[in-house]
Amino acid sequence: MPAKSAAQQKAAGAALAAKRGDTPKSKLKGASKSMMESMSEKQLEEFAHTKRKGKPEHVSKH
């Protein structure tokens, strides 16, 4: 499932880096922290590798 916004894609990238050990888990905040805990590495990869072109920065919760 691809990311729906640029912010979601960035958060997934940060969570993926922490899950792989490239970034300390203590540096994560908010969405990236919860994504790291609740999603598998494969799911995070799918979100993180989504192209940002044409994606809004944020998606409203409507």
Side-chain angles (χ1 to χ4, degrees), residues 21-50:
D22 298 335
T23 305
K25 293 177 185 178
S26 60
K27 296 269 185 193
L28 296 180
K29 299 181 207 171
S32 57
K33 190 173 189 174
S34 64
M35 287 173 106
M36 198 267 312
E37 294 168 353
S38 66
M39 296 174 76
S40 70
E41 191 170 328
K42 184 171 177 13
Q43 290 173 314
L44 288 170
E45 269 185 27
E46 289 176 16
F47 269 73
H49 288 105
T50 302

Side-chain angles (χ1 to χ4, degrees), residues 2-10 50 52 55-59:
K4 294 183 180 175
S5 70
Q8 193 179 45
Q9 187 264 344
K10 290 175 196 175
T50 302
R52 277 192 227 168
K55 297 270 186 232
E57 184 59 32
H58 294 280
V59 175

